[in-house]
Amino acid sequence: MFRIQLLLQASLLFYQAVVGSPSLSSKDKASTSSKSDTYPLPNQSNVSDHDPNIFEYNDSFYVFHGGVDIPISKASSLDGPWTDVGTVLDGPSVIDKENRTLPWAPTTIQHNGSFYCFYTISTLGTHNSSIGVATTDSLDSGKWTDHGALINSVSGNLSNIYPYNESNAIDASVIVDNATGKPYLNYGSSWHGIFQVPLAADLLSVEDPEHPRAINLAYDPTGNKPLEGPWMSFRDQYYYLWISHGNGQNGKASPASGQEREIQVGRSTSVNGPFQDKDGKNLTNGGGTVVYAANHGVVYAPGGIGVLPANAKHPDILYYHYLNTSTGMRDEDAHLGWNYLDYKDGWPVVAGYVITLC
C-alpha cells in the first residue's frame, strides 16, 4: 500500500534555500514568475531537459532527450541517478531537412511488442517540419531503425494536402483508442493548433494517407498565445488532451504578464473529441483548464508535458519541463519536473505530496 506524506511549509523553505531566490531584476521578477503558491513545487528529477519524454518499462524509467541522435537515459527512480544507455539514431535523421542532426520532442511508446520513437525535425520559427519515427525490439540494445518521415508540412511527401498545409508537423504523441484499438497521432503548434490523424496498424504511416481523416483538436482563434506539445491520456471514462499554452522565454524579453506558458487540459469521452474545459468551452475555441503554471517565484513557463499512467506502484504522474528563475531563463536551462495527479470530479489536479511504498 502507499504511504502519503503531505509536503510541509518546511519543504518549500528547504527548496528555496537549495536553489536560491530569483536573481533577476525586480522588473523581470514581476514579469517572469508568479509568486502564487496555488500550485505545488515540482519533484525534481535532476535532469536538464526541454520537451522531455519519459517511458516506464520493466521497473525502470527511460528519458528520451531532444538533441544530437536523441540520447536516452535510464534510472530505477524518477529522482535518478540517471545512466546514459545510448541513442535512438546513429547519425542524422534520414529526413532531408534543416536541423536533421538535432531532432527534438521525442515520444516513445510500446505497441505490438515493438518500441516506436516519434521525433521532430524542424527549425524554430518556421513550419517546414517533419515528424519521423524509429523502431526497435529492445530499449537497451541500441539498435534502432529510422523509418523517416511520417508526416510533413511545407515540403516533403503529401505536405500540400490538408491538414499538413495548415499545420506544423511537430510535437508528436500517440494514443490508442481503448474501445477499438485504433492508434492516432496528435501533433501541432502555432499553425492552427493541434491536429489528429489516424495511423495505420504498423504505426509507420497515416491511414489512407492521401485522404487522412484529420480532426482539429485545439485552437486559439485569438492568436495571442501559441498551442504546442499535445499529449493525450485516459482515465476511467475520459480522454484528456493536455497542451502547453502560451509563450516561453528564450533569453530575450519576458512575455507580457499572463502570456507565459502554462499547462492546460480538456476532456472528452471520445478519443476524437470534441474536447472541452471545466467550464464547457471547446478547446477549438480557445478553451482550456489550467492545471499547472508559474509558482513560488521559482518555477516559470512549465510545458512540454506527458503523463505516465498509474500502476501498482504510483498514481498518474504529470511530467514537464520548466525554467528555474535563479539558474537560467533559456530553453537549454530547462529542468525536468514531475508531480502526482489527483482527480476531483473527473478533473486532474497537480498534487503536493510524495509517495513511498510500505
Side-chain angles (χ1 to χ4, degrees), residues 233-308:
S233 61
F234 180 81
R235 184 180 185 272
D236 295 334
Q237 61 179 315
Y238 292 111
Y239 293 90
Y240 295 89
L241 177 61
W242 302 78
I243 53 176
S244 299
H245 193 195
N247 297 286
Q249 169 135 353
N250 195 22
K252 301 178 182 178
S254 305
S257 180
Q259 297 295 307
E260 63 269 19
R261 186 189 296 121
E262 59 191 13
I263 297 172
Q264 296 184 349
V265 74
R267 73 182 189 187
S268 174
T269 55
S270 169
V271 71
N272 309 126
F275 288 86
Q276 296 182 331
D277 65 15
K278 201 172 183 179
D279 296 323
K281 188 174 184 179
N282 285 349
L283 267 61
T284 51
N285 192 32
T289 296
V290 179
V291 178
Y292 198 67
N295 61 81
H296 292 93
V298 175
V299 175
Y300 175 68
I305 62 271
V307 175
L308 288 173

Side-chain angles (χ1 to χ4, degrees), residues 38-98:
T38 301
Y39 307 103
L41 289 162
N43 295 303
Q44 298 184 78
S45 292
N46 300 309
V47 172
S48 295
D49 211 342
H50 189 270
D51 290 338
N53 171 238
I54 305 177
F55 182 73
E56 188 174 6
Y57 178 71
N58 276 356
D59 294 324
S60 293
F61 297 94
Y62 294 79
V63 174
F64 291 76
H65 311 271
V68 177
D69 300 338
I70 313 177
I72 310 169
S73 302
K74 180 181 179 181
S76 59
S77 166
L78 286 177
D79 299 326
W82 296 90
T83 301
D84 293 337
V85 292
T87 61
V88 172
L89 305 180
D90 58 6
S93 166
V94 298
I95 300 171
D96 189 14
K97 286 192 176 181
E98 188 176 357

Side-chain angles (χ1 to χ4, degrees), residues 92-117:
S93 166
V94 298
I95 300 171
D96 189 14
K97 286 192 176 181
E98 188 176 357
N99 279 347
R100 67 193 187 104
T101 61
L102 291 170
W104 78 57
T107 291
T108 298
I109 68 167
Q110 185 181 23
H111 188 67
N112 291 338
S114 295
F115 302 93
Y116 296 72
C117 181

Side-chain angles (χ1 to χ4, degrees), residues 21-344:
S21 298
S23 58
L24 306 175
S25 69
S26 59
K27 178 181 178 181
D28 284 338
K29 288 180 186 178
S31 62
T32 62
S33 188
S34 169
K35 300 294 184 181
S36 169
D37 60 0
T38 301
Y39 307 103
L41 289 162
N43 295 303
Q44 298 184 78
S45 292
N46 300 309
V47 172
S48 295
D49 211 342
H50 189 270
D51 290 338
N53 171 238
I54 305 177
F55 182 73
E56 188 174 6
Y57 178 71
N58 276 356
D59 294 324
S60 293
F61 297 94
Y62 294 79
V63 174
F64 291 76
H65 311 271
V68 177
D69 300 338
I70 313 177
I72 310 169
S73 302
K74 180 181 179 181
S76 59
S77 166
L78 286 177
D79 299 326
W82 296 90
T83 301
D84 293 337
V85 292
T87 61
V88 172
L89 305 180
D90 58 6
S93 166
V94 298
I95 300 171
D96 189 14
K97 286 192 176 181
E98 188 176 357
N99 279 347
R100 67 193 187 104
T101 61
L102 291 170
W104 78 57
T107 291
T108 298
I109 68 167
Q110 185 181 23
H111 188 67
N112 291 338
S114 295
F115 302 93
Y116 296 72
C117 181
F118 301 85
Y119 62 86
T120 293
I121 299 294
S122 187
T123 303
L124 289 175
T126 79
H127 67 298
N128 185 13
S129 312
S130 299
I131 290 173
V133 58
T135 60
T136 187
D137 292 329
S138 171
L139 286 180
D140 295 308
S141 72
K143 297 178 180 178
W144 292 76
T145 300
D146 186 4
H147 300 274
L150 183 64
I151 63 171
N152 301 285
S153 55
V154 176
S155 67
N157 186 41
L158 299 179
S159 60
N160 62 315
I161 68 171
Y162 182 82
Y164 316 125
N165 59 354
E166 290 191 10
S167 61
N168 191 10
I170 70 170
D171 292 357
S173 66
V174 173
I175 185 77
V176 175
D177 188 335
N178 279 9
T180 66
K182 179 180 286 295
Y184 291 90
L185 173 73
N186 303 315
Y187 75 95
S189 69
S190 303
W191 280 264
H192 216 87
I194 308 304
F195 285 83
Q196 179 185 85
V197 290
L199 293 176
D202 62 3
L203 307 191
L204 300 180
S205 64
V206 173
E207 184 179 72
D208 194 5
E210 296 187 359
H211 305 91
R213 190 171 68 86
I215 299 173
N216 193 196
L217 296 178
Y219 176 58
D220 184 353
T222 69
N224 293 331
K225 297 165 68 175
L227 304 178
E228 60 185 9
W231 186 273
M232 198 175 289
S233 61
F234 180 81
R235 184 180 185 272
D236 295 334
Q237 61 179 315
Y238 292 111
Y239 293 90
Y240 295 89
L241 177 61
W242 302 78
I243 53 176
S244 299
H245 193 195
N247 297 286
Q249 169 135 353
N250 195 22
K252 301 178 182 178
S254 305
S257 180
Q259 297 295 307
E260 63 269 19
R261 186 189 296 121
E262 59 191 13
I263 297 172
Q264 296 184 349
V265 74
R267 73 182 189 187
S268 174
T269 55
S270 169
V271 71
N272 309 126
F275 288 86
Q276 296 182 331
D277 65 15
K278 201 172 183 179
D279 296 323
K281 188 174 184 179
N282 285 349
L283 267 61
T284 51
N285 192 32
T289 296
V290 179
V291 178
Y292 198 67
N295 61 81
H296 292 93
V298 175
V299 175
Y300 175 68
I305 62 271
V307 175
L308 288 173
N311 57 30
K313 294 185 176 181
H314 61 72
D316 286 356
I317 295 174
L318 174 70
Y319 63 87
Y320 48 87
H321 70 248
Y322 69 97
L323 296 174
N324 183 320
T325 59
S326 68
T327 59
M329 296 294 286
R330 300 171 300 173
D331 281 347
E332 53 264 42
D333 297 319
H335 298 269
L336 170 60
W338 59 274
N339 296 84
Y340 296 114
L341 288 174
D342 289 334
Y343 290 82
K344 183 177 181 180

